[in-house]
Amino acid sequence: MDVLVFATSVRQKRQVSRVQNLLTKVPAIAQWNFDLEDCDNILRVEARDLSPRYIESLLQKAGIHCQELSY
């Protein structure tokens, strides 16, 4: 299982709800969560064999900035 970490433009819980609809449809994702108290509005995704670019593209198509962070 890989942990992918992204900086996002998600700032409000209603935006999290919109993203939830996208992320729950991806079978490779086991878990995900947002840290909206972090200055980068962090999205953490636990997934198996999933490209970070896929997550970035998925959210960007929904109008949300998303960029992988290295840790």
Side-chain angles (χ1 to χ4, degrees), residues 53-65:
R53 301 307 151 254
Y54 178 81
I55 298 293
E56 290 172 344
S57 174
L58 186 67
L59 269 63
Q60 287 172 357
K61 286 179 184 174
I64 296 170
H65 171 76

Side-chain angles (χ1 to χ4, degrees), residues 6-17 19 32-44 64:
F6 302 89
T8 73
S9 62
V10 172
R11 297 193 192 315
Q12 302 172 347
K13 290 187 179 190
R14 67 179 170 83
Q15 290 175 298
V16 172
S17 296
V19 171
W32 60 271
N33 65 59
F34 276 95
D35 181 354
L36 299 182
E37 293 183 17
D38 185 276
C39 64
D40 289 322
N41 302 308
I42 296 295
L43 167 62
R44 287 182 190 84
I64 296 170

